[in-house]
Every structure is written in C-alpha cells, then in structure tokens.
Amino acid sequence: MNPRHFISLLDVSGAELRALIHRAIELKNHRDLDYQPLKGRVMAMIFEKSSTRTRISFEAGMSHFGGSALFLSPRDTQLGRGEPLRDSAKVISSMVDCIMLRTDKHTTVTTFAEHSRVPVINGLTDEQHPCQLLADIQTFFELRGDLQGKTVAWIGDGNNMCHSYIHAAMVLDFTLHIACPVGYEPAAAIVAAAGGRVKFFPDTVAAAVGADLVVTDVWASMGQEEEQKQREIAFKNYQVDAAVMAAAQPDALFMHCLPAHRGEEVSAEVIDGPQSVVFQEAENRLHAQKALLEFLLCGK
C-alpha cells in the first residue's frame, strides 16, 4: 500500500485538516501525558536549508512520542555528492519510518515521495510551506474558532507561505486578500485553482479591510539575500503597521512565521503589540506536527 504523504495542504480534505488541528490542540492541552505512539520509530530529517522552528519542533515531537529523529544535511549524506534523488529516497526510506525534507526545489520533495516507501513530509520548499500553515491554523482555531467564512489578509511577497495560504483558503473555505508588489505575485496556476477565494488589492490598507487575520513574511526569504536591496525598494510600501491593523477587524490577529525583521515587513508596534500571536504560533509548530506525525504514522 502506498504511504500517505504531506507535501501540500491539498493532500488533506477539509474534514481531515480540521480533525488534525483539533488533535493538535488536544495534544497541547495534555502535553504531560505519557503517550508514546512512535516508540522505536525513526524520522529522517533532511535539511538543505537551516532552521530553528522546523528542526526543533520535529525533533522534540518525535522524542515526546517515544521515537527519534536523524538530522541529515547534504554534507552528511551522498545527496551532497550528487546521488540521484530516487536512489536516496529508496535507500533512506528502507531504514526509517518517515522522512521530512526542508529544501529548495519543490520537485525534490515530490521526487522523494514518488520513490519512498514511507510517508514524506514537506518541511519547506520554495513553492510551499504547509507545516507552518498547520501551526497558523491551529493558533487561529484556539483564539477565534474555525476559519470558514473568515477573511485573511496576506501582505507582501507571493512566496511559499502565500501559496500555502491560498491552499488553506481552498481547503477551509475562507477568503484571502493579497497585497503584493508588481512582479512578486504568487504563481498564476496556484491562484487560478483557488477561484474566487483569492482577491488582489492595490495597497496594504485596502487588503486589510475587514480581515480577521493579517499575515506577512520577510521581504527576502532564505536564498534571496542577494536581492535584498532590490526588494527593499519594491516592498517599501508593504509593511504591516498600525494603519493596516486598524483597517482590519477590531479583534484581528497578526501572524508571522518568523524570523521577522522589525521595521521592514512589520513594525515593532505591531509584532510586539497586543494583536500579535507570533510566539503562540511558533510554539504550535510542535503540537501541529505531533498531530501530523500521528496522522501519517498511526493512521489517526
């Protein structure tokens, strides 16, 4: 039987995603229970990009569940010497129970999934970041309830986070407002698949009007540092500041996947203010990914 993978939010149904989120909240609320469903199980974590939240959350989650995690960088494996991805996937999946990749090309993850005998998890690619969305969704559910029928405003780069928010809008049935500079829009095919759930706005305040959640990300993601100066010019009017939050609902939340650059994509006043839930959001990476591991490896 083919394993169940988590490459995109579109890999789960709305009912499955909601169940997964509610399970993450349950695990968080009962974190002191001695529950080790993955005792003796091993996860291989392949990192082509450095990480704080992704590594710690997956490694700690496996430990909490009684399992273990192997950290693998290109320097530690034959991947760094050009071994074909399909060969690496076949070999690694024959020795572990799950594989998580945090990498550049989205095709790296899809190729691994095609040739793996165990579940493959997308820990981040240049196209999507579904694990972060699990934490974001969990945080909103904890504080405001279901996202169905709500409005989310995405401010800034049409990057992997934006793509996964588009997918979340499709799966959970909410409206996504996007404000981004010309030339930095999300991929047209991903937008088209979402239909009327995605709407574009000419400026940040217009996008935020009526929003229940406002989200942003850095102007230059990892690997785009050489574009920093160019992006600073293009994104100078795309900061989430007090005016943006004032246009949103009075009880709107602010989220950011971190790390953040105060004074660039978000003002210190907002990220350190009362509407910001970025640290609850960051912690929820652990709980959401524990629920994901249980879902993929235990069939729950």
Side-chain angles (χ1 to χ4, degrees):
M1 186 170 65
N2 292 330
R4 186 80 183 262
H5 302 300
F6 186 69
I7 310 302
S8 164
L9 281 179
L10 299 182
D11 290 333
V12 294
S13 67
E16 287 175 325
L17 181 54
R18 287 181 170 88
L20 199 157
I21 294 302
H22 288 301
R23 180 57 175 159
I25 295 171
E26 184 179 21
L27 289 168
K28 181 179 180 178
N29 291 337
H30 298 89
R31 68 186 79 185
D32 296 329
L33 290 179
D34 184 16
Y35 175 59
Q36 298 190 331
L38 299 183
K39 189 173 183 179
R41 312 286 285 274
V42 179
M43 163 181 271
M45 306 188 303
I46 300 173
F47 285 88
E48 291 184 337
K49 286 189 172 183
S50 59
S51 167
T52 298
R53 282 149 289 274
T54 299
R55 179 176 179 180
I56 294 172
S57 57
F58 272 114
E59 195 161 337
M62 285 297 293
S63 179
H64 291 175
F65 275 172
S68 59
L70 303 174
F71 174 83
L72 303 172
S73 76
R75 296 186 304 274
D76 305 315
T77 67
Q78 296 297 334
L79 284 169
R81 299 180 61 197
E83 180 174 46
L85 291 176
R86 60 187 296 163
D87 292 357
S88 290
K90 290 177 180 179
V91 171
I92 295 170
S93 68
S94 73
M95 301 182 188
V96 302
D97 302 283
C98 186
I99 301 172
M100 186 279 297
L101 297 99
R102 181 178 169 92
T103 184
D104 295 299
K105 296 180 180 178
H106 192 71
T107 53
T108 298
V109 177
T110 57
T111 300
F112 252 80
E114 182 181 355
H115 298 284
S116 173
R117 66 169 71 172
V118 300
V120 171
I121 297 172
N122 177 4
L124 175 142
T125 67
D126 56 4
E127 182 182 295
Q128 299 178 44
H129 197 359
C131 286
Q132 180 64 52
L133 263 289
L134 295 181
D136 289 21
I137 294 165
Q138 178 185 340
T139 306
F140 193 91
F141 272 50
E142 287 175 333
L143 297 171
R144 299 289 186 267
D146 202 304
L147 269 162
Q148 186 173 24
K150 302 292 187 180
T151 299
V152 177
W154 174 266
I155 309 296
D157 194 11
N159 61 9
N160 51 6
M161 279 292 295
C162 182
H163 290 158
S164 286
Y165 260 99
I166 293 171
H167 289 160
M170 296 167 65
V171 176
L172 294 178
D173 191 25
F174 62 83
T175 300
L176 183 65
H177 292 180
I178 297 176
C180 59
V182 174
Y184 296 93
E185 298 90 349
I190 292 177
V191 172
R197 292 185 182 89
V198 175
K199 301 178 180 179
F200 287 87
F201 292 82
D203 61 76
T204 58
V205 172
V209 171
D212 302 283
L213 170 62
V214 179
V215 196
T216 192
D217 195 2
V218 293
W219 290 343
S221 297
M222 194 180 304
Q224 299 173 333
E225 290 81 4
E226 72 283 355
E227 302 176 25
Q228 180 66 34
K229 294 300 181 183
Q230 174 186 341
R231 284 173 171 264
E232 285 177 3
I233 296 171
F235 285 84
K236 65 179 181 179
N237 295 322
Y238 290 84
Q239 181 185 93
V240 177
D241 55 17
V244 172
M245 295 306 297
Q249 296 284 6
D251 65 344
L253 302 174
F254 170 76
M255 294 189 195
H256 189 304
C257 61
L258 301 181
H261 297 157
R262 289 166 174 80
E264 290 188 9
E265 75 274 5
V266 60
S267 68
E269 179 183 11
V270 169
I271 195 170
D272 298 319
Q275 292 172 281
S276 173
V277 292
V278 296
F279 296 110
Q280 179 173 341
E281 175 191 6
E283 180 195 334
N284 282 342
R285 288 293 301 276
L286 169 64
H287 310 297
Q289 282 158 193
K290 286 171 69 174
L292 177 63
L293 289 168
E294 185 185 55
F295 174 74
L296 293 175
L297 295 175
C298 303
K300 293 187 177 181

CSV table of all heavy atoms in Angstrom, one decimal, residues 10 162-171 173-176 178 186-200:
chain,number,residue,atom,x,y,z
A,10,LEU,N,-3.2,20.6,0.2
A,10,LEU,CA,-4.2,20.0,-0.7
A,10,LEU,C,-4.2,18.4,-0.6
A,10,LEU,O,-5.0,17.7,-1.2
A,10,LEU,CB,-4.0,20.4,-2.1
A,10,LEU,CG,-4.1,21.9,-2.4
A,10,LEU,CD1,-3.9,22.2,-3.9
A,10,LEU,CD2,-5.5,22.4,-1.9
A,162,CYS,N,2.6,32.4,1.0
A,162,CYS,CA,1.4,32.9,0.3
A,162,CYS,C,0.7,31.7,-0.4
A,162,CYS,O,-0.5,31.6,-0.4
A,162,CYS,CB,1.8,34.0,-0.6
A,162,CYS,SG,0.4,34.7,-1.5
A,163,HIS,N,1.5,30.9,-1.1
A,163,HIS,CA,0.9,29.7,-1.8
A,163,HIS,C,0.2,28.8,-0.8
A,163,HIS,O,-0.9,28.3,-1.2
A,163,HIS,CB,2.0,29.0,-2.5
A,163,HIS,CG,2.6,29.7,-3.7
A,163,HIS,ND1,3.9,29.4,-4.2
A,163,HIS,CD2,2.1,30.7,-4.4
A,163,HIS,CE1,4.1,30.2,-5.2
A,163,HIS,NE2,3.1,31.0,-5.4
A,164,SER,N,0.8,28.6,0.3
A,164,SER,CA,0.1,27.7,1.3
A,164,SER,C,-1.1,28.3,1.9
A,164,SER,O,-2.1,27.6,2.2
A,164,SER,CB,1.1,27.2,2.3
A,164,SER,OG,2.0,26.2,1.8
A,165,TYR,N,-1.1,29.6,2.0
A,165,TYR,CA,-2.4,30.3,2.5
A,165,TYR,C,-3.5,30.2,1.4
A,165,TYR,O,-4.6,30.1,1.7
A,165,TYR,CB,-2.1,31.8,2.8
A,165,TYR,CG,-1.9,31.9,4.3
A,165,TYR,CD1,-0.7,32.0,4.9
A,165,TYR,CD2,-3.1,32.0,5.2
A,165,TYR,CE1,-0.6,32.1,6.3
A,165,TYR,CE2,-2.9,32.1,6.5
A,165,TYR,CZ,-1.7,32.2,7.1
A,165,TYR,OH,-1.6,32.3,8.5
A,166,ILE,N,-3.1,30.2,0.1
A,166,ILE,CA,-4.1,30.0,-0.9
A,166,ILE,C,-4.7,28.6,-0.8
A,166,ILE,O,-5.9,28.4,-0.9
A,166,ILE,CB,-3.4,30.3,-2.3
A,166,ILE,CG1,-3.0,31.7,-2.5
A,166,ILE,CG2,-4.4,29.9,-3.4
A,166,ILE,CD1,-2.2,32.0,-3.7
A,167,HIS,N,-3.8,27.6,-0.6
A,167,HIS,CA,-4.3,26.3,-0.4
A,167,HIS,C,-5.2,26.2,0.8
A,167,HIS,O,-6.2,25.5,0.8
A,167,HIS,CB,-3.1,25.3,-0.3
A,167,HIS,CG,-2.4,25.1,-1.6
A,167,HIS,ND1,-1.1,24.6,-1.7
A,167,HIS,CD2,-2.8,25.4,-2.9
A,167,HIS,CE1,-0.7,24.6,-2.9
A,167,HIS,NE2,-1.7,25.0,-3.7
A,168,ALA,N,-4.8,26.8,1.9
A,168,ALA,CA,-5.6,26.8,3.1
A,168,ALA,C,-7.0,27.4,2.8
A,168,ALA,O,-8.0,26.9,3.3
A,168,ALA,CB,-4.9,27.5,4.2
A,169,ALA,N,-7.1,28.4,2.1
A,169,ALA,CA,-8.4,29.0,1.7
A,169,ALA,C,-9.2,28.1,1.0
A,169,ALA,O,-10.5,28.0,1.2
A,169,ALA,CB,-8.1,30.3,0.9
A,170,MET,N,-8.6,27.3,0.1
A,170,MET,CA,-9.4,26.3,-0.7
A,170,MET,C,-9.9,25.2,0.2
A,170,MET,O,-11.0,24.7,0.1
A,170,MET,CB,-8.5,25.7,-1.8
A,170,MET,CG,-8.0,26.7,-2.8
A,170,MET,SD,-6.7,26.1,-3.9
A,170,MET,CE,-7.5,24.7,-4.7
A,171,VAL,N,-9.1,24.7,1.1
A,171,VAL,CA,-9.4,23.5,2.0
A,171,VAL,C,-10.4,23.9,3.1
A,171,VAL,O,-11.3,23.2,3.4
A,171,VAL,CB,-8.2,22.9,2.6
A,171,VAL,CG1,-8.5,21.8,3.5
A,171,VAL,CG2,-7.2,22.4,1.5
A,173,ASP,N,-12.2,27.0,3.2
A,173,ASP,CA,-13.3,27.8,2.7
A,173,ASP,C,-13.3,29.2,3.4
A,173,ASP,O,-14.3,29.6,4.0
A,173,ASP,CB,-14.6,27.1,2.8
A,173,ASP,CG,-15.7,27.9,2.1
A,173,ASP,OD1,-15.4,28.6,1.1
A,173,ASP,OD2,-16.9,27.7,2.5
A,174,PHE,N,-12.2,29.9,3.2
A,174,PHE,CA,-12.2,31.3,3.7
A,174,PHE,C,-11.7,32.2,2.5
A,174,PHE,O,-11.2,31.7,1.5
A,174,PHE,CB,-11.3,31.5,4.9
A,174,PHE,CG,-9.9,31.2,4.8
A,174,PHE,CD1,-8.9,32.1,4.3
A,174,PHE,CD2,-9.4,30.0,5.3
A,174,PHE,CE1,-7.6,31.8,4.2
A,174,PHE,CE2,-8.0,29.7,5.2
A,174,PHE,CZ,-7.1,30.6,4.6
A,175,THR,N,-11.8,33.5,2.6
A,175,THR,CA,-11.4,34.4,1.6
A,175,THR,C,-10.0,35.0,1.9
A,175,THR,O,-9.7,35.3,3.1
A,175,THR,CB,-12.4,35.6,1.5
A,175,THR,OG1,-13.7,35.1,1.2
A,175,THR,CG2,-11.9,36.6,0.4
A,176,LEU,N,-9.1,35.0,0.9
A,176,LEU,CA,-7.8,35.5,1.1
A,176,LEU,C,-7.6,36.8,0.3
A,176,LEU,O,-7.7,36.8,-0.9
A,176,LEU,CB,-6.8,34.4,0.7
A,176,LEU,CG,-5.3,34.8,0.8
A,176,LEU,CD1,-4.9,35.0,2.3
A,176,LEU,CD2,-4.4,33.8,0.2
A,178,ILE,N,-4.9,39.6,-0.9
A,178,ILE,CA,-3.5,39.7,-1.2
A,178,ILE,C,-3.1,41.1,-1.7
A,178,ILE,O,-3.7,41.6,-2.6
A,178,ILE,CB,-3.0,38.6,-2.2
A,178,ILE,CG1,-3.3,37.2,-1.7
A,178,ILE,CG2,-1.6,38.8,-2.5
A,178,ILE,CD1,-3.0,36.1,-2.7
A,186,PRO,N,2.0,35.7,-6.4
A,186,PRO,CA,2.0,34.3,-6.3
A,186,PRO,C,1.8,33.6,-7.6
A,186,PRO,O,1.4,34.3,-8.6
A,186,PRO,CB,0.8,33.9,-5.3
A,186,PRO,CG,-0.1,35.1,-5.4
A,186,PRO,CD,0.8,36.3,-5.6
A,187,ALA,N,2.2,32.4,-7.8
A,187,ALA,CA,2.1,31.7,-9.1
A,187,ALA,C,0.7,31.7,-9.6
A,187,ALA,O,-0.3,31.4,-8.9
A,187,ALA,CB,2.6,30.2,-8.9
A,188,ALA,N,0.6,32.0,-10.9
A,188,ALA,CA,-0.7,32.2,-11.5
A,188,ALA,C,-1.6,30.9,-11.4
A,188,ALA,O,-2.8,30.9,-11.2
A,188,ALA,CB,-0.5,32.6,-13.0
A,189,ALA,N,-0.9,29.7,-11.6
A,189,ALA,CA,-1.7,28.5,-11.6
A,189,ALA,C,-2.2,28.2,-10.2
A,189,ALA,O,-3.4,27.7,-10.1
A,189,ALA,CB,-0.7,27.3,-12.0
A,190,ILE,N,-1.5,28.5,-9.2
A,190,ILE,CA,-2.0,28.3,-7.8
A,190,ILE,C,-3.2,29.2,-7.5
A,190,ILE,O,-4.2,28.8,-6.9
A,190,ILE,CB,-0.8,28.5,-6.8
A,190,ILE,CG1,0.2,27.3,-7.0
A,190,ILE,CG2,-1.4,28.5,-5.4
A,190,ILE,CD1,1.4,27.4,-6.1
A,191,VAL,N,-3.1,30.5,-8.0
A,191,VAL,CA,-4.1,31.4,-7.8
A,191,VAL,C,-5.4,31.0,-8.6
A,191,VAL,O,-6.5,31.0,-8.0
A,191,VAL,CB,-3.7,32.8,-8.3
A,191,VAL,CG1,-4.9,33.8,-8.3
A,191,VAL,CG2,-2.6,33.4,-7.4
A,192,ALA,N,-5.2,30.6,-9.8
A,192,ALA,CA,-6.3,30.2,-10.6
A,192,ALA,C,-7.1,29.0,-10.0
A,192,ALA,O,-8.4,29.0,-10.1
A,192,ALA,CB,-5.8,29.8,-12.0
A,193,ALA,N,-6.4,28.1,-9.4
A,193,ALA,CA,-7.1,26.9,-8.8
A,193,ALA,C,-8.0,27.3,-7.7
A,193,ALA,O,-8.9,26.6,-7.4
A,193,ALA,CB,-6.0,25.9,-8.4
A,194,ALA,N,-7.7,28.4,-7.0
A,194,ALA,CA,-8.5,28.9,-5.9
A,194,ALA,C,-9.8,29.6,-6.2
A,194,ALA,O,-10.6,29.8,-5.4
A,194,ALA,CB,-7.6,29.8,-5.0
A,195,GLY,N,-9.9,30.0,-7.5
A,195,GLY,CA,-11.1,30.7,-7.9
A,195,GLY,C,-11.3,32.0,-7.2
A,195,GLY,O,-10.4,32.7,-6.9
A,196,GLY,N,-12.6,32.2,-6.8
A,196,GLY,CA,-13.0,33.4,-6.2
A,196,GLY,C,-12.6,33.6,-4.7
A,196,GLY,O,-12.8,34.6,-4.1
A,197,ARG,N,-11.9,32.6,-4.2
A,197,ARG,CA,-11.5,32.7,-2.8
A,197,ARG,C,-10.3,33.7,-2.6
A,197,ARG,O,-10.0,34.1,-1.5
A,197,ARG,CB,-11.1,31.3,-2.2
A,197,ARG,CG,-12.3,30.4,-2.0
A,197,ARG,CD,-11.8,29.1,-1.4
A,197,ARG,NE,-12.9,28.2,-1.2
A,197,ARG,CZ,-13.2,27.2,-2.1
A,197,ARG,NH1,-12.5,27.2,-3.3
A,197,ARG,NH2,-14.2,26.4,-1.9
A,198,VAL,N,-9.6,34.0,-3.7
A,198,VAL,CA,-8.4,34.9,-3.7
A,198,VAL,C,-8.7,36.2,-4.4
A,198,VAL,O,-9.2,36.2,-5.5
A,198,VAL,CB,-7.2,34.2,-4.3
A,198,VAL,CG1,-6.0,35.2,-4.4
A,198,VAL,CG2,-6.8,33.0,-3.5
A,199,LYS,N,-8.5,37.3,-3.7
A,199,LYS,CA,-8.7,38.6,-4.2
A,199,LYS,C,-7.5,39.5,-4.1
A,199,LYS,O,-6.9,39.5,-3.0
A,199,LYS,CB,-9.9,39.3,-3.6
A,199,LYS,CG,-11.2,38.5,-3.7
A,199,LYS,CD,-12.4,39.1,-3.0
A,199,LYS,CE,-13.7,38.3,-3.1
A,199,LYS,NZ,-14.8,38.9,-2.4
A,200,PHE,N,-7.1,40.2,-5.1
A,200,PHE,CA,-6.0,41.1,-5.0
A,200,PHE,C,-6.4,42.5,-4.8
A,200,PHE,O,-7.4,43.0,-5.3
A,200,PHE,CB,-5.2,41.0,-6.3
A,200,PHE,CG,-4.4,39.7,-6.5
A,200,PHE,CD1,-5.0,38.6,-7.0
A,200,PHE,CD2,-3.1,39.6,-6.0
A,200,PHE,CE1,-4.4,37.4,-7.1
A,200,PHE,CE2,-2.4,38.4,-6.1
A,200,PHE,CZ,-3.1,37.2,-6.7
